[in-house]
Amino acid sequence: MTASGLTAHDRGLPRTSTVAVVGTGTMGQGIAQVALAAGHPVRLYDAAPGRAAQAADAIAARLGRLVAKGALAAADRDAALGRLAPVDRLADLADTELAVEAILEELGAKQQLFTALESVVSDRCLLATNTSSLSVTAVAGALRHPGRLVGLHFFNPAPVLPLVEVVRGFATDPAAADRAYDTVAAWGKTPVRCADTPGFIVNRIARPFYAEAFRVYEEGGADPATIDAVLRESGGFRMGPFELTDLIGQDVNEAVTRSVWESLFHDPKFTPSLAQRRLVEAGLYGRKTGRGWYDHAEGAPRPRPHTAEPCDAPAKLALHGDPGPAAGLVPLIEEAGITLTREPGPGGFFELPDGIRLSLTDGSAATTDPLEPGIRFDLALDYRTATRIALAPSETAAPEAVAAATGLFQALGKQVSVVGDLPGMIVGRTVAMLVDFATDAVARGVASADDIDTAMRTGVNYPRGPLHWGSRLGAGWVRDVLENLHEACPTGRYAPSQALVRRAATEGKLL
């Protein structure tokens, strides 16, 4: 209940209002199912003869499976199917109050469809596009009344995933966006408001999750299985980027990356991966073709991540200065029975018995440290619950030192992956980029901080919203990591946004 006393159910479309879904592929069927579940009469239309009827049958079968599982009452299934009607003509959508388009991602086709719809439906009908990569403003540009068109970007499968990005085009009337938002909320979804920017929220901010992993692979830092394992078991992500893009489809994921990059005038922060492009060119799209980064043929062995053999832990360590985001290691070391002495002053590193510095990645390579030899360890979402840690030794670090660092983390209950000495390692560079992208998006008015964190948690199952994550790490730490990465790779890809620089400066003054 809001201050006005009205709920989303009150402000959204009445349940008696008819909803039209145009385009009856997987996404169109899913959106239709969501509207049916909310109690609306739904009409399905597809330009291909017979497709709408086939889609209605597919929805009926899906609802039947829910009944068989006990997730839906048979009476509710029957009532929903009674409200579902496939139609053969656009004219049959004349009395609908919301028309959602889910056809192919081609601007001309969408403009042509909405122009035709505008001549059929009433002036009060709300028009919505489910585009994931095109400009909502451009889609509406062909309309006589572009103010009533809004983006409603559902995520697949629409009946299951809660997030819906409600996208305001340049000409979208605020009242239309509000009504769309309230309608989606009344349907039981989690709507977030977003400006019409390339990639919207999720597909814009998620790019580094894929791009940085692919770059580590391209630069020979680690193999896909190891990178995936580190991001899952240390970073806390539900899936690694190689396995996730195999699930999404390399063609789909690469097309989104390329679309965002091109729409942002080839901004180096969004540069696509050549290795992924080669997969697409080879037709290796992932699970749907049987092979992508991984071999998905029946019985094919799954590559295992590189995991170090057991090593002896050092009996004692010295902690110099404040370990910053790695502070969670201190109680774990003490609980493991390893003697830890504290040395005051600057530093922020652990000293192994032979004098080797063991430090959290700061965005620079261990080999470039003037105080080398040294060993970097990667960022973790939570060092207590992490089950794997990545180590990156400098080229001059002795094998005995690497063994001691490996044994230390093994004594803390972690598996260890020794990876190449690349700036920022794996989790560190990925999270720093995600935080920066999210901070920049807020500053540019793409969405609010709360909506961005909500979108990334519910849309792509991130373990923590990137802005919340950045607050936990400290803007200064994130900025420093990116500045060191930028120094190592001065292309502009890693240059921290001005919004992050300002936030870090303000944070420092508040301290």
Side-chain angles (χ1 to χ4, degrees):
M1 187 78 70
T2 64
S4 66
L6 297 177
T7 66
H9 286 283
D10 299 318
R11 299 187 306 270
L13 288 178
R15 290 188 177 179
T16 54
S17 298
T18 300
V19 174
V21 178
V22 181
T24 58
T26 301
M27 184 58 77
Q29 292 177 29
I31 295 170
Q33 184 177 334
V34 170
L36 282 173
H40 291 276
V42 174
R43 292 184 189 161
L44 290 173
Y45 171 80
D46 198 291
R51 286 278 181 85
Q54 293 172 6
D57 291 340
I59 293 171
R62 193 175 298 116
L63 295 180
R65 289 192 291 272
L66 292 176
V67 171
K69 294 177 181 177
L72 180 69
D76 291 337
R77 183 266 317 273
D78 295 342
L81 293 179
R83 298 192 300 274
L84 178 63
V87 298
D88 297 324
R89 303 176 305 147
L90 274 181
D92 294 326
L93 308 181
D95 62 345
T96 59
E97 293 192 41
L98 169 62
V100 184
E101 165 272 317
I103 66 171
L104 73 163
E105 286 287 272
E106 203 281 312
L107 178 61
K110 291 181 187 294
Q111 289 178 326
Q112 184 177 8
L113 169 64
F114 279 114
T115 299
L117 272 173
E118 193 176 37
S119 68
V120 169
V121 300
S122 69
D123 290 344
R124 68 176 182 276
C125 180
L126 185 63
L127 303 178
T129 174
N130 184 59
T131 183
S132 61
S133 60
L134 298 175
S135 164
V136 172
T137 301
V139 172
L143 297 180
R144 295 193 310 276
H145 303 293
R148 61 168 161 168
L149 188 137
V150 65
L152 287 183
H153 181 213
F154 288 78
F155 287 73
N156 195 27
V160 176
L161 295 184
L163 183 69
V164 179
E165 293 175 322
V166 180
V167 186
R168 307 178 310 277
F170 185 79
T172 300
D173 291 335
D178 288 343
R179 195 169 201 204
Y181 181 97
D182 293 331
T183 297
V184 169
W187 290 359
K189 294 298 183 180
T190 303
V192 291
R193 300 179 188 272
C194 176
D196 184 20
T197 186
F200 308 142
I201 299 176
V202 172
N203 281 332
R204 178 190 183 105
I205 294 173
R207 289 355 289 165
F209 179 70
Y210 312 108
E212 293 311 306
F214 299 161
R215 181 144 187 158
V216 170
Y217 166 73
E218 289 171 341
E219 294 179 355
D223 60 277
T226 299
I227 296 169
D228 276 352
V230 169
L231 282 162
R232 285 196 317 268
E233 300 170 35
S234 184
F237 294 94
R238 185 167 298 184
M239 296 181 73
F242 294 90
E243 58 188 344
L244 180 55
T245 53
D246 265 3
L247 175 63
I248 295 170
Q250 300 302 331
D251 54 335
V252 174
N253 182 262
E254 201 266 350
V256 171
T257 298
R258 186 167 295 277
S259 172
V260 172
W261 176 61
E262 291 174 349
S263 297
L264 291 171
F265 308 104
H266 295 183
D267 187 329
K269 290 178 179 289
F270 295 86
T271 301
S273 162
L274 178 60
Q276 187 181 35
R277 173 100 289 256
R278 291 293 180 259
L279 279 182
V280 174
E281 290 172 341
L284 305 178
Y285 299 158
R287 291 190 184 183
K288 61 187 176 184
T289 60
R291 185 178 170 191
W293 296 110
Y294 299 110
D295 186 349
H296 298 278
E298 185 175 354
R302 182 67 177 266
R304 295 188 177 186
H306 170 76
T307 303
E309 295 295 326
C311 297
D312 293 331
K316 60 181 181 179
L317 292 172
L319 171 58
H320 293 257
D322 181 358
L329 286 172
V330 173
L332 299 181
I333 291 170
E334 293 174 334
E335 291 166 17
I338 298 170
T339 301
L340 183 66
T341 59
R342 290 173 171 80
E343 302 292 338
F349 65 91
F350 297 95
E351 183 183 350
L352 296 170
D354 56 3
I356 296 292
R357 293 158 58 99
L358 176 65
S359 57
L360 173 64
T361 181
D362 64 355
S364 63
T367 302
T368 62
D369 191 329
L371 300 175
E372 64 170 338
I375 301 171
R376 299 272 197 261
F377 61 87
D378 210 348
L379 182 68
L381 173 71
D382 183 334
Y383 283 101
R384 183 172 291 278
T385 58
T387 57
R388 183 178 298 271
I389 295 293
L391 297 179
S394 65
E395 292 185 3
T396 56
E400 294 80 9
V402 178
T406 299
L408 169 65
F409 282 103
Q410 289 172 339
L412 306 185
K414 320 300 180 188
Q415 292 185 304
V416 175
S417 293
V418 179
V419 301
D421 183 24
L422 296 181
M425 299 188 65
I426 299 172
V427 182
R429 71 197 292 172
T430 300
V431 171
M433 289 288 279
L434 290 171
V435 171
D436 189 47
F437 274 40
T439 303
D440 182 61
V442 173
R444 292 178 183 273
V446 172
S448 70
D450 286 344
D451 276 355
I452 286 174
D453 275 357
T454 296
M456 302 313 289
R457 285 187 290 101
T458 60
V460 279
N461 291 310
Y462 281 10
R464 188 177 286 160
L467 292 161
H468 179 211
W469 211 335
S471 296
R472 295 283 295 269
L473 293 169
W477 183 85
V478 177
R479 175 204 58 202
D480 291 348
V481 167
L482 292 174
E483 286 183 343
N484 286 332
L485 277 161
H486 178 57
E487 183 177 350
C489 180
T491 63
R493 180 187 183 100
Y494 299 108
S497 67
Q498 288 303 301
L500 180 66
V501 171
R502 290 193 299 269
R503 182 175 172 186
T506 302
E507 178 183 79
K509 292 177 181 177
L510 292 176
L511 294 175

